[in-house]
Amino acid sequence: MTGMELIGLDRIEAATKLVGPAVRRTPLIAARVLAERAGVEVRLKCENLQRTGSFKPRGAYNRIANLPEAERARGVVAASAGNHAQGVAWSATTLGIASTVFMPVGASLPKLVATRAYGATVHQVGETIDQSLAAAIEFAEQTGATLIHPFDHPDIVAGQATVGVELLEQLPEVDTVIVPTGGGGLLAGIAVALEHLAPHVRVVGVQAAQAAAWPGSLAAGKPVALDKMSTMADGIAVGRPGEVPFAHVAQRVSKVVTVDEDALSRAMLLCMERAKLIVEPAGAAAVAALMTYSPDELGIGGPVCAILSGGNVDPLLLTRLIGHGLGAAGRYLVLRVKISDHPGSLGRLLAEIGRTGASVFEIAHSRTGTWLAMDEADVSLTLETRGPTHRDEVIEALEDAGYAVRVQE
């Protein structure tokens, strides 16, 4: 890795001139609730409001725009389940170039429809992105189309670096930038831009704990593949860092941390409720880090910027994620309670719950089951509570009233 040439300021400046007029200058908004926790000013860089709903067009546009005319004439091809697909499709169409995208059979319907709407010819091949990528490589070999990698190319990294350039213009006093991280293109781009333009700024990467290839790779001194991944943050679920991003991240990123699934869903919920922003799980990773780690753990010493890297989330999945986030934030409480199977028992239980100030969201009452005695009934309840403290108060009140309570996680 030490022999790889790192991206210089000239390449970043060229990307800024090329990409800047084509993409949106995304807003930087204040996040008071996060600032109160961090003890310093916190801003959110809203790449979820970028064209196609993520930062991806920056790198894709820079890569495709730099292709020689002969390669442009043969078109471009990509493999992706979502944001990269849309970024390539939009960029190619904007530049008047044909694009083909291979997506897994199970790709989200909204992302599939959007990719086609941006002008790409879409083929659904395979159950996984690896199988789609194999088909894209075969297509490139057969047709001469240029394969546009989502993160592992200098032009991609230079394009993503424009986020860092913009950010520095919007918040010159920034001290720490926190970046969602998958293959590493965005993290590397921001880090290299700030290294050249503001080397004092600390850059922290964030990965989903259940898809965290970077900590092990950095420890090994080279990209190392994960055996398996399982996370709601599909946008950063990359099993092996790219060679080009790794060379830059290893030298220029201060730290990479991980966040769990509960933190990701709570971060999404916070963005919706407090910032009025729809952010996908991967896009909320930087906010999750601010909610998980102390300022000292993140090395925060001044104004912070959290990158919201994308907002493309299936409405059906969003509904489930909101429920998960409410549970993780202590706003839902799921219980099972045994009561006597006599008239009025259920009413007395509900009256006790009412006195706690909790609201019943769902209820199921069963009088049969091998786990029940002849004079017992089982009640499953989903309650709306006002947070973790109220949640504990409800449980304590029911136990004090003589109920055997089982909390369902």
Side-chain angles (χ1 to χ4, degrees), residues 24 26 61 102 135 151 201 240 248 253 264 288 304 310 379 409:
R24 290 177 181 149
T26 53
Y61 189 93
F102 288 82
F151 49 83
V201 177
R240 184 180 184 276
H248 294 80
V253 171
L264 288 166
V304 176
V379 182
E409 298 298 339

Side-chain angles (χ1 to χ4, degrees), residues 148-170:
I148 306 299
H149 197 280
F151 49 83
D152 207 7
H153 192 279
D155 282 342
I156 295 288
V157 173
Q160 317 308 20
T162 61
V163 177
V165 175
E166 269 186 29
L167 164 60
L168 199 58
E169 293 171 351
Q170 293 168 310

